Amino acid sequence: MARSLDGLVLAPVADQAPGQVGTRTRFAYHERDGAVWADYTGGDVVRGHLVGTREGDRLDFRYVQLGRDGTTSSGHCVSAVVELPDGRVRLEEAWEWESQPGAGTSVVEQVMEHAP
């Protein structure tokens, strides 16, 4: 099993559609006893929250966010936790909106403190 997400900051490796999570979004993860949660902000997201569970290297969570345009949206995501060769963590995600049409995949990776 890949290491704990607790205390890690992750960021998308590519932008999604306008008004959604993008490379300027930062997720601050927490994990304890099979529960995972995170706060996120940046780019087109004013504030977002996710909460769910971890079983092995699989996350299952729901998210809700407030966009810069004042809209709210929510959805469901299942992610695979992968440890990269350099020791960082990657989440390979399959998500779907529940508040609007749309689904897709994305990748977020751990941001190192010393990175420029």
Side-chain angles (χ1 to χ4, degrees):
M1 186 167 98
R3 66 190 170 100
S4 172
L5 301 175
D6 196 52
L8 300 184
V9 175
L10 289 90
V13 298
D15 286 326
Q16 300 294 322
Q20 298 178 17
V21 165
T23 56
R24 293 177 296 154
T25 309
R26 296 294 181 266
F27 293 79
Y29 269 87
H30 304 279
E31 179 179 351
R32 187 169 302 118
D33 300 326
V36 292
W37 65 98
D39 296 320
Y40 59 99
T41 188
D44 290 332
V45 178
V46 173
R47 183 169 305 279
H49 304 283
L50 66 84
V51 63
T53 57
R54 178 175 182 172
E55 193 169 314
D57 285 334
R58 181 181 184 272
L59 305 182
D60 189 329
F61 60 82
R62 293 234 160 23
Y63 55 90
V64 61
Q65 64 190 41
L66 171 64
R68 294 220 177 272
D69 62 1
T71 61
T72 60
S73 48
S74 62
H76 175 241
C77 184
V78 175
S79 300
V81 182
V82 177
E83 191 155 352
L84 297 171
D86 65 5
R88 294 179 306 127
V89 170
R90 167 188 282 166
L91 301 181
E92 297 173 350
E93 306 177 319
W95 52 268
E96 61 183 334
W97 291 110
E98 294 180 329
S99 61
Q100 61 194 13
T105 60
S106 55
V107 173
V108 296
E109 292 183 353
Q110 182 180 354
V111 177
M112 302 304 287
E113 293 297 324
H114 61 276

